[in-house]
């Protein structure tokens, strides 16, 4: 009986979540009366779930800000680094297998913090370095210790690319250039927008 209740409760929660999402989506379609569609808040969208799966549109852009080369043909193409009103920076892009064979994503990308590692493969080892302010910023975590980045990596086939994101505390507004570092990848300087 309790299993049946749990299943029914889950169905009800899913239905309620879908209905709320549809209602919010319909309410947001009107825009602000100026003909522009509303853009979702990056920090809210990153924090709403477990921080694991970006939408298909996140990280998409024509020209990368920087490309970081990793091991075995992996390539991180950073296409955006936007400062949010809430004091965060969301870095988006694509993780691509530029090699000729499938590659297992290195576990070192998750970093070495026990709290982050226990939540599975991620970009939790990424940092932003503000050389002007002499500070290093680590990927944000939610209240359960999950990193606010793309998670759940496995194997990338040759030529395959995945949209990825990472969220960091923002350096002072006077800082416009930071260096992105990710274990097993080269580092590169990105310009913060917003």
């Amino acid at each position: 009986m309790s299993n049946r209740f749990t299943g029914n409760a889950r169905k009800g929660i899913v239905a309620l979540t879908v209905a709320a999402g549809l209602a919010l989506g319909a309410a947001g379609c009107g825009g602000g009366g100026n003909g522009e569609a509303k853009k979702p808040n990056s920090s809210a969208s990153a924090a709403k779930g477990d921080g694991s799966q970006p939408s298909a549109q996140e990280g998409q852009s024509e020209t990368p800000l920087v490309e970081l080369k990793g091991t075995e043909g992996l390539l991180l193409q950073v296409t955006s680094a936007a400062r949010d009103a809430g004091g965060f920076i969301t870095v988006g892009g694509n993780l691509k297998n530029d090699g000729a064979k499938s590659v297992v994503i290195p576990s070192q990308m998750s970093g070495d913090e026990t709290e982050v590692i226990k939540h599975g493969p991620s970009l939790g080892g990424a940092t932003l370095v503000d050389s002007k302010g002499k500070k290093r910023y680590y990927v944000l975590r939610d209240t359960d210790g999950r990193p606010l980045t793309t998670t759940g990596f496995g194997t990338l086939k040759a030529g395959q690319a995945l949209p990825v994101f990472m969220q960091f505390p923002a350096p002072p507004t006077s800082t416009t250039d930071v260096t992105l570092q990710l274990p097993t990848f080269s580092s590169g300087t990105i310009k913060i927008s917003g």
Side-chain angles (χ1 to χ4, degrees):
M1 186 79 171
S2 64
N3 285 341
R4 178 180 235 184
F5 175 76
T6 303
N8 288 338
R10 283 187 187 147
K11 288 178 188 174
I13 290 171
V14 169
L16 182 61
T17 303
V18 169
L22 290 173
L24 287 173
C29 288
N34 60 2
E36 293 181 12
K38 288 187 176 183
K39 182 178 177 185
N41 181 341
S42 298
S43 61
S45 64
K48 70 182 173 188
D50 63 1
S52 61
Q53 300 298 325
S55 72
Q57 293 177 348
E58 279 188 63
Q60 301 296 321
S61 179
E62 292 182 15
T63 306
L65 299 173
V66 70
E67 291 185 339
L68 309 182
K69 293 186 180 196
T71 57
E72 299 186 58
L74 289 176
L75 185 66
L76 177 61
Q77 299 171 315
V78 177
T79 55
S80 65
R83 192 182 297 270
D84 298 333
F88 309 109
I89 290 181
T90 303
V91 176
N94 295 294
L95 181 62
K96 183 179 180 184
N97 179 355
D98 222 16
K101 60 181 182 177
S102 293
V103 175
V104 175
I105 302 300
S107 61
Q108 295 94 327
M109 288 174 32
S110 298
D112 57 6
E113 292 182 45
T114 306
E115 188 66 26
V116 173
I117 293 171
K118 77 178 186 181
H119 294 290
S122 70
L123 300 175
T127 59
L128 290 181
V129 177
D130 171 10
S131 56
K132 180 180 172 185
K134 296 182 169 73
K135 288 193 176 182
R136 179 182 304 269
Y137 298 90
Y138 293 87
V139 169
L140 290 168
R141 283 108 173 124
D142 68 11
T143 55
D144 293 324
R146 286 186 293 263
L148 295 182
T149 73
T150 308
T151 61
F153 294 109
T155 301
L156 274 182
K157 296 177 183 173
Q160 184 181 5
L162 294 173
V164 295
F165 80 97
M166 299 159 267
Q167 199 167 52
F168 301 90
T173 53
S174 60
T175 300
T176 57
D177 294 328
V178 290
T179 301
L180 176 63
Q181 297 178 336
L182 181 65
T184 75
F185 282 77
S186 60
S187 58
T189 302
I190 54 176
K191 187 169 283 302
I192 301 169
S193 63

